[in-house]
Amino acid sequence: MPTPPPAIGIIGGSGLYQIDGLSDTAEVNPSTPFGPPSDTILSGQLAGRQVFFLPRHGRGHRIMPHEVNHRANLYALRSLGVRWIVCVTAVGSLQEQYAPRHIVLPSQFFDRTSRRTEQTFFGNGIVAHVAFAQPISSGLREIIARVAGSLGYTVHNGGTYVNMDGPAFSTRAESEFHRKMGFDVIGMTNCPEARLAREAEIALATMAMITDYDCWKVDDEPVTAKMVFDNLQNNAATARDILPRVIEQIPEAPDWPEHSALDHALVTPKNLWPPETIEKLRPILGRFL
């Protein structure tokens, strides 16, 4: 099959179920060997670029954090030619200076989840170990920081996102522990996306949209779903304002370091790759075949 032209993916989080400004729109439903993605993917043109939008939790917020099929989502986007992804995700703040409705652009992750078999495409005869010391695309993160700042939004460029399982929010003891560890924001979904994007040679960066102070701030009301969703609509409008301008500045050639992440990651000799696994991972391994 011909290789699709390099495209841009947007993974929308809680409250962001569509993206404004897309023309020539169409719905696509790529099949994947990992099951169906979270929802139909919206294809369209924006600023002369091919863009694919996928709502992480499904339209109408039907999928819980631990139910998100990250492998299907990232595989589907990669099969459509996506080489850059901007993730938009709701988070709780673990630091006083990161207030609700601020934007944090994480540069690091700390993974406290327990589902590692669902955070890799590899196995079944092909072993790969990608470098993940710098889990976020610095080039894409800097574009987002520049755009968000120029529009007057409060943006914090860098920080550590701690990924918890959920779906319940933190206990106060957990929240205090995360603060003492120096983490900046907490969420339930983004680290698996970053790991899989790296395996798929996609440059990924995240707009972490703060909805609350988790529950460590004892002089504030502990976090509730109502508090979170009261801020979601404002954050979603902010993301819709920023994203088109970010897309305009993403380069056309996929020649960033993330786009060659598998160069030194594939351990199994090619002559030992099982044919069925090759076919399964063809969108990811295509340049090696």
Side-chain angles (χ1 to χ4, degrees):
M1 294 180 62
T3 303
I8 298 165
I10 306 295
I11 297 180
S14 303
L16 185 65
Y17 307 115
Q18 63 183 22
I19 181 171
D20 300 335
L22 287 180
S23 61
D24 302 323
T25 58
E27 293 186 346
V28 292
N29 293 281
S31 62
T32 89
F34 302 100
S38 292
D39 208 325
T40 298
I41 297 173
L42 183 65
S43 166
Q45 294 284 320
L46 201 159
R49 302 297 299 276
Q50 178 64 56
V51 177
F52 293 99
F53 175 79
L54 174 63
R56 180 186 295 112
H57 297 282
R59 290 172 180 83
H61 207 106
R62 298 172 286 105
I63 301 171
M64 297 187 77
H66 65 283
E67 296 176 322
V68 176
N69 190 339
H70 296 291
R71 286 190 294 185
N73 288 349
L74 272 293
Y75 186 100
L77 291 171
R78 185 65 181 87
S79 71
L80 293 168
V82 167
R83 305 309 307 274
W84 297 267
I85 289 178
V86 178
C87 295
V88 181
T89 186
V91 295
S93 170
L94 296 169
Q95 304 298 334
E96 182 87 38
Q97 66 269 32
Y98 301 154
R101 303 191 180 186
H102 286 193
I103 304 166
V104 174
L105 308 180
S107 52
Q108 284 292 329
F109 289 101
F110 193 92
D111 190 2
R112 297 201 63 215
T113 67
S114 55
R115 305 166 72 87
R116 70 177 185 175
T117 58
E118 299 176 11
Q119 296 188 26
T120 181
F121 295 115
F122 291 96
N124 297 311
I126 302 180
V127 174
H129 298 283
V130 293
F132 204 55
Q134 302 298 329
I136 290 290
S137 168
S138 59
L140 190 52
R141 179 164 56 88
E142 291 301 327
I143 290 173
I144 299 169
R146 201 163 53 239
V147 169
S150 71
L151 292 173
Y153 294 107
T154 302
V155 57
H156 306 275
N157 190 2
T160 298
Y161 175 122
V162 57
N163 204 132
M164 63 183 291
D165 271 326
F169 296 122
S170 302
T171 67
R172 184 157 284 141
E174 290 168 336
S175 192
E176 289 289 358
F177 171 79
H178 293 146
R179 276 172 48 76
K180 289 175 182 177
M181 292 298 291
F183 305 145
D184 297 295
V185 295
I186 185 166
M188 301 178 187
T189 55
N190 195 219
C191 189
E193 293 168 340
R195 289 189 192 278
L196 292 163
R198 184 59 53 86
E199 288 192 348
E201 298 189 319
I202 296 171
L204 177 145
T206 295
M207 293 170 54
M209 316 295 286
I210 296 177
T211 58
D212 57 84
Y213 274 116
D214 203 32
C215 64
W216 61 269
K217 211 165 183 291
V218 294
D219 53 334
D220 281 6
E221 179 186 354
V223 61
T224 65
K226 182 181 184 303
M227 179 191 305
V228 170
F229 284 98
D230 282 347
N231 282 326
L232 284 176
Q233 294 304 314
N234 180 275
N235 287 348
T238 298
R240 287 194 294 269
D241 190 27
I242 293 170
L243 287 170
R245 294 165 175 82
V246 168
I247 290 168
E248 292 173 356
Q249 297 191 28
I250 294 175
E252 295 187 5
D255 56 4
W256 289 358
E258 298 83 11
H259 297 130
S260 56
L262 293 179
D263 278 357
H264 304 291
L266 294 163
V267 177
T268 309
K270 185 177 174 181
N271 66 304
L272 297 180
W273 292 1
E276 61 274 15
T277 306
I278 292 175
E279 287 307 310
K280 177 181 179 181
L281 298 182
R282 185 170 289 276
I284 295 168
L285 295 175
R287 70 186 183 91
F288 298 95
L289 305 178

